[in-house]
Amino acid sequence: MTDFTVVIPARMASSRLPDKPLADIAGLPMVVRVARQAMQSVASRVLVATDHEAVRAACAAHGVEAVMTRADHASGTDRLAEVATLTGLPDEAVLVNVQGDEPLIEPALIDRLAALLDDGAMPMATLAHPIRDADEMFNPNVVKAVVDRDGRALYFSRAPIPFARDAFAVGRDALPDGLPVLRHIGMYAYRAGFLKTYAALAPAPLEIFESLEQLRALWYGYPIAVAVVDEAPMAGVDTPEDLARVRRHFIRT
């Protein structure tokens, strides 16, 4: 398997959960929990990318490598592009973006994502899983992915796509059998050279309206490989209620 680096963006700004990266989870800051999960993958390197000295210091106190990045990045992908430059990674190097609020991320999922770039043919990759609930499909907070037969992304949207015209004309309480509707999992793998290219591109109209950074790649004609996994990963931390749930998990284990 190609060597890869896990990068964990960790910003302090969070309206729903202030100082989220430093939230205590069973005696460790959340960002350190995420890093320790990532270290169980086969990644050759795990580092945190942050714009706040307190996060860097917390990482250092627990033996986690961290780099300081600018505070004005529009997306996590833009932040990773800065990391690729700061660390001097060669263009062919693979970076996997693991969000800093995913303390229950499965290491095997990280490995599965990185493996999509093994052959060197794709600049970017991500994950999705089947949607089985109609409410989830029609929820604009759930990002849907449409993928071709070769596992390449056709589009991502907050809208209910693909739209089963005839079935939904009758009712929207259930999904028709066989509808290939997928929920996007917000993890990405990239080639370092592509990250540098991405950061130099102007934001795309589709990206701006949908508020989905991956649409910039598709807008400019860059393919995205998608692996479909059976189930959703364990949920991350966005709210105080999420944090309480994750804390209970670590107490049980």
Side-chain angles (χ1 to χ4, degrees):
M1 184 173 183
T2 302
D3 282 347
F4 66 92
T5 297
V6 171
V7 181
I8 303 168
R11 296 175 62 248
M12 287 289 274
S14 173
S15 58
R16 289 185 287 182
L17 193 59
D19 300 341
K20 182 162 67 169
L22 302 180
D24 181 85
I25 298 177
L28 289 175
M30 177 158 56
V31 68
V32 173
R33 287 286 181 193
V34 177
R36 290 193 174 185
Q37 287 294 104
M39 289 172 184
Q40 296 179 52
S41 73
V42 301
S44 57
R45 185 180 186 186
V46 175
L47 60 89
V48 170
T50 184
D51 57 5
H52 202 287
E53 172 59 26
V55 175
R56 188 209 61 78
C59 289
H62 294 282
V64 175
E65 183 181 3
V67 295
M68 295 296 293
T69 57
R70 302 198 321 267
D72 60 348
H73 290 298
S75 70
T77 303
D78 291 299
R79 190 174 303 278
L80 260 71
E82 184 184 0
V83 172
T85 299
L86 289 173
T87 55
L89 289 171
D91 285 351
E92 66 272 14
V94 173
L95 294 86
V96 174
N97 181 348
V98 174
Q99 296 301 319
D101 56 5
E102 298 282 351
L104 301 178
I105 189 68
E106 299 168 26
L109 203 61
I110 298 172
D111 295 338
R112 174 77 182 275
L113 177 55
L116 290 174
L117 301 187
D118 271 354
D119 64 4
M122 301 293 285
M124 180 175 176
T126 192
L127 301 169
H129 71 85
I131 289 177
R132 299 180 175 91
D133 180 81
D135 288 341
E136 193 172 15
M137 182 177 186
F138 287 95
N139 182 349
N141 294 317
V142 172
V143 177
K144 275 67 69 173
V146 178
V147 178
D148 71 13
R149 66 178 184 177
D150 296 319
R152 294 188 176 193
L154 293 172
Y155 194 63
F156 299 88
S157 183
R158 299 181 183 279
I161 58 171
F163 193 85
R165 185 195 65 176
D166 294 341
F168 291 147
V170 175
R172 300 185 181 184
D173 295 331
L175 300 177
D177 291 341
L179 183 68
V181 57
L182 301 172
R183 179 173 187 163
H184 179 231
I185 299 171
M187 295 172 59
Y188 301 98
Y190 314 87
R191 294 278 172 193
F194 171 70
L195 278 170
K196 297 166 189 175
T197 298
Y198 176 98
L201 298 171
L206 294 176
E207 170 192 5
I208 294 169
F209 281 108
E210 291 259 25
S211 192
L212 297 174
E213 63 192 283
Q214 65 270 37
L215 292 178
R216 189 185 312 180
L218 295 183
W219 176 266
Y220 287 101
Y222 293 97
I224 301 175
V226 182
V228 178
V229 299
D230 292 335
E231 300 292 339
M234 298 185 74
V237 177
D238 288 321
T239 65
E241 292 75 20
D242 293 335
L243 181 58
R245 168 180 50 80
V246 171
R247 283 171 169 165
R248 288 193 298 271
H249 172 88
F250 278 94
I251 290 172
R252 289 196 301 270
T253 56

